[in-house]
Amino acid sequence: KTVGITCVPFSGGQPKGGVDDGPVEMMRFGVLDQIQDMGYNIELSDGMDKYQTMKPADDPPIGKMKNPRYVSMAARRVAEQVRAQCEKGNIAVTLGGDHSIGMGTLVGSSSVYGDDLCVIWVDAHADINTPDTTESGNLHGCPLSFVLGICDAESPFDWIKPCIRKDRLVYIGLRDVDATEKAILRKHNIKAFSMHDVDRHGIGKVVEMALDHVNKDRTLPVHMSFDVDALDPSVAPATGTPVRGGLTFREGHYICEAVAETGCLVSLDLVEVNPALGDPESLRQTVAVGCSLVRCSLGESLL
Ligand code: ARG
Ligand code: MN
Ligand code: MN
Ligand code: MN
């Protein structure tokens, strides 16, 4: 079996520099060797340097959206690279970069797996603002609204057609959801397990309920998008929008292990690792946990 890795050193979906160094730091930590040591072949998508050089000279806001052309171009390239990996039957692993690239990975994976694709979005945030509801204008807070067709994607995002079913999306770990986003989740009946649900039921039950919601028979292909800020800042401090009260180290890993056990994972994002934030020890810890979440998602077991 082959793991197709796409590195996306991209930070245009939010204002903090450094998140574009996430992929290279995870590679420096040895993530490729670690995956190979698990018995996988590795295929690396090419031209990771292009993401930085494709930044347009002039990219003024469109409405509230910041860096709209740059985000759109990068996401479009991600979509093509992830699609190519999925077409070959590889497990497509995308290393970010900020979460705006999620619109690319979802377009890419769903272009191969169709609307059977189930999405497990592990995050402190819902990332479902529309260009109208976003307060920050940061597009890493918006990727899901485009792919779900909650807003009609206008230029430069008009290449994105609705491709993910609302009943095949489920969240785990939410705890900082904008009021506008709460309204969207309610209106469209989108299933979400917040940290309150994790406290109440325990992570084992929550993951089971989440999988039951999107993939009752465990036969459909699954995409997991793991934002490292889903973890508690004490576990993953080096990230741009940390929120207290997050998943423990083990809860985060449990989600990945349980998803791996289904055998349904076809694509995975690991995003929002920002090596520029915090001291060297926070950096090392966050990069290390990112790599270990990837390994667990690919089936590394404790025994
Ligand atoms: N909801 C906030 C916004 O729209 C925060 C989004 C944070 N997203 C993330 N991928 N870390 O700006
Ligand atoms: Mn987040
Ligand atoms: Mn907030
Ligand atoms: Mn996110």
Side-chain angles (χ1 to χ4, degrees), residues 270-289:
L270 197 291
V271 299
E272 299 281 356
V273 171
N274 188 335
L277 301 175
D279 52 78
E281 180 48 27
S282 321
L283 182 184
R284 199 203 55 82
Q285 208 186 320
T286 310
V287 170
V289 81

Side-chain angles (χ1 to χ4, degrees), residues 99 123-125 127 227 229-230 241 272:
H99 221 162
D123 206 322
H125 310 95
D127 295 350
D227 183 331
D229 72 27
T241 50
E272 299 281 356

Side-chain angles (χ1 to χ4, degrees), residues 95-114:
L95 304 178
D98 73 61
H99 221 162
S100 65
I101 66 175
M103 57 183 108
T105 60
L106 285 174
V107 168
S109 187
S110 68
S111 73
V112 173
Y113 294 104

